[in-house]
């Protein structure tokens, strides 16, 4: 009889232990996986947020870079290997949505294999050319590209990078097919542009603002519908005639599927607090990154947005024929 009573009490004991662990979370450092190289745009955003979240959580937020295959290596790790115990989270940009069309064999389902924490910041893109490129403004750029489409090349940060997506949209808008020159990240692509080895690049303000302000590149506009605070005098491509041209690098934070909801909610609160931290706000402003409105800072908002981005980019990518095995 005593044994049966003890056996019956075991499930309740484990439930109580789990509730206690969640209530005291975190009791050790929290890892934030970045699926790209250290020093890159997403890494910069992650480290800025992590430093502030550490103060809110009372534990260090450690950024761990697991790069490769357009961000899918890091995503696969979090989806398939990381424990859903609240000590591993994941930050990714638009690649979370485009991977479903870019990769025929994806080891995870972005809509089913994660818990959604929140969106965080948006980073506008800018359209650039090498400093000695003939076109002085967007109108001349469009005319030159159409007249020389077999000679003009387009640098990208690799398959699935937002720079490539932006380039695909540009080619689609101008009805041309340019030679794409892929690099292993945005830094080498920018170095090639600065060195005059490639013609055109679409890249994030986190990397391009210093080069634009220094006059090291030709600058044709930003890819948002409205002008941005970091470059208030810069016209958008939309207002210059490329109607509805909009590409923004958005960042979402995820957890392994099965991570307890109370922990997801507390992480959401930590991100919200970080986005109101004056140091983080200044850092994001300096980079041209824009903090998303409160209405987007929800688990449900991120899930809805991800689905809409999958629906948006899938047809564009499939029509281009650019995807990986």
């Amino acid at each position: 009889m005593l044994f049966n009573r003890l056996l019956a009490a075991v499930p309740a004991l484990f439930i109580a232990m789990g509730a206690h662990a969640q209530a005291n979370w975190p009791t050790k450092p929290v890892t934030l996986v970045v699926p790209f190289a250290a020093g890159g745009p997403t890494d910069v955003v992650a480290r800025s947020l992590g430093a502030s979240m550490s103060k809110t959580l009372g534990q260090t937020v450690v950024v761990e870079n697991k790069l490769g295959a357009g961000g899918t290596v890091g995503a696969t790790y979090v989806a398939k290997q990381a424990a859903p115990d609240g000590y591993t989270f994941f930050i990714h940009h638009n690649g979370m949505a485009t991977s479903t069309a870019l990769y025929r064999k994806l080891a995870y389902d972005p809509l089913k294999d994660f818990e959604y924490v929140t969106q965080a910041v948006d980073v506008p893109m800018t359209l650039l050319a090498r400093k000695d490129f003939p076109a002085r403004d967007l109108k001349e750029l469009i005319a030159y590209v159409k007249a020389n489409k077999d000679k003009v090349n387009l640098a990208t940060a690799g398959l699935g990078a937002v720079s490539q997506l932006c380039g695909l949209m540009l080619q689609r808008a101008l009805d041309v097919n340019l030679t794409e020159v892929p690099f292993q990240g945005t830094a080498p692509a920018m170095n090639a542009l600065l060195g005059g080895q490639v013609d055109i690049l679409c890249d994030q303000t986190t990397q391009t603002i210093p080069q634009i302000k220094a006059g090291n590149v030709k600058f044709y506009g930003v890819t948002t519908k409205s002008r941005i605070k970091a470059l208030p005098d810069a016209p958008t491509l939309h207002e210059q005639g490329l109607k509805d041209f909009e590409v923004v690098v958005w960042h979402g934070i995820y957890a392994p599927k099965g991570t307890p909801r109370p922990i997801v909610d507390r992480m959401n609160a930590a991100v919200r607090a970080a986005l109101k931290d004056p140091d983080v706000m200044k850092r994001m402003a300096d980079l041209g990154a824009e903090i998303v409105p409160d209405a987007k800072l929800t688990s449900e908002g991120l899930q809805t947005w991800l689905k809409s981005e999958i629906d948006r980019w899938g047809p564009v990518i499939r029509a281009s024929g650019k995807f990986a095995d």
Side-chain angles (χ1 to χ4, degrees), residues 300-319:
E300 295 75 18
L302 174 58
Q303 187 173 15
T304 299
W305 180 253
L306 176 60
K307 176 64 168 60
S308 70
E309 285 288 277
I310 290 173
D311 293 342
R312 177 193 182 195
W313 287 109
V316 175
I317 294 168
R318 284 188 282 271

Side-chain angles (χ1 to χ4, degrees), residues 135-164:
R136 294 170 296 180
D137 54 30
L138 183 63
K139 183 178 180 180
E140 290 188 5
L141 173 73
I142 293 172
Y144 186 88
V145 168
K146 287 187 173 182
N148 298 276
K149 55 188 176 183
D150 295 331
K151 301 177 182 179
V152 175
N153 61 50
L154 173 74
T156 77
L159 181 69
V162 186
S163 59
Q164 187 199 31

Side-chain angles (χ1 to χ4, degrees), residues 68-300:
T72 61
V73 169
T76 300
Y77 167 77
V78 175
K80 300 300 181 180
Q81 294 177 252
D85 58 2
Y87 291 96
T88 302
F89 291 86
F90 176 55
I91 184 169
H92 202 353
H93 60 34
N94 311 48
M96 193 68 161
T98 59
S99 59
T100 58
L102 282 167
Y103 295 88
R104 292 188 179 96
K105 299 176 182 178
L106 201 61
Y108 58 90
D109 185 333
L111 291 173
K112 295 180 180 178
D113 292 341
F114 299 88
E115 302 294 344
Y116 306 90
V117 180
T118 184
Q119 287 183 249
V121 298
D122 293 339
V123 182
M125 302 288 282
T126 52
L127 180 60
L128 312 173
R130 54 183 165 83
K131 189 174 181 179
D132 59 350
F133 196 71
R136 294 170 296 180
D137 54 30
L138 183 63
K139 183 178 180 180
E140 290 188 5
L141 173 73
I142 293 172
Y144 186 88
V145 168
K146 287 187 173 182
N148 298 276
K149 55 188 176 183
D150 295 331
K151 301 177 182 179
V152 175
N153 61 50
L154 173 74
T156 77
L159 181 69
V162 186
S163 59
Q164 187 199 31
L165 301 179
C166 185
L168 288 177
M169 281 200 68
L170 180 67
Q171 293 174 79
R172 192 177 188 182
L174 303 185
D175 194 24
V176 298
N177 289 307
L178 304 179
T179 300
E180 291 189 21
V181 184
F183 291 86
Q184 294 296 315
T186 56
M190 175 59 77
N191 287 336
L193 190 75
L194 295 174
Q197 299 159 353
V198 291
D199 297 320
I200 299 173
L201 172 66
C202 192
D203 199 6
Q204 303 177 45
T205 55
T206 46
Q207 178 162 270
T208 63
I209 284 179
Q211 305 300 342
I212 292 170
K213 291 185 175 180
N216 294 331
V217 293
K218 287 279 182 69
F219 172 46
Y220 300 106
V222 296
T223 64
T224 48
K225 285 286 190 70
S226 303
R227 297 193 181 197
I228 63 174
K229 296 177 183 177
L231 295 167
D233 297 325
T236 68
L237 302 185
H238 170 74
E239 71 181 81
Q240 294 182 84
L242 293 183
K243 296 300 182 184
D244 298 320
F245 194 106
E246 184 176 27
V247 183
V248 175
V249 183
W250 54 271
H251 295 82
I253 298 177
Y254 309 81
K257 189 70 174 180
T259 300
R261 184 65 192 218
I263 291 178
V264 171
D265 290 342
R266 289 189 64 188
M267 190 63 169
N268 177 287
V271 176
R272 286 172 176 260
L275 293 174
K276 293 180 180 179
D277 183 330
D279 291 338
V280 173
M281 294 174 70
K282 183 180 185 306
R283 178 64 170 149
M284 293 300 103
D286 290 343
L287 294 171
E290 300 187 346
I291 295 169
V292 302
D294 285 347
K296 285 189 172 185
L297 293 174
T298 65
S299 172
E300 295 75 18

Side-chain angles (χ1 to χ4, degrees), residues 61-75:
V61 175
V62 179
V63 172
E64 183 176 349
N65 301 92
K66 287 187 175 294
L67 54 154
T72 61
V73 169

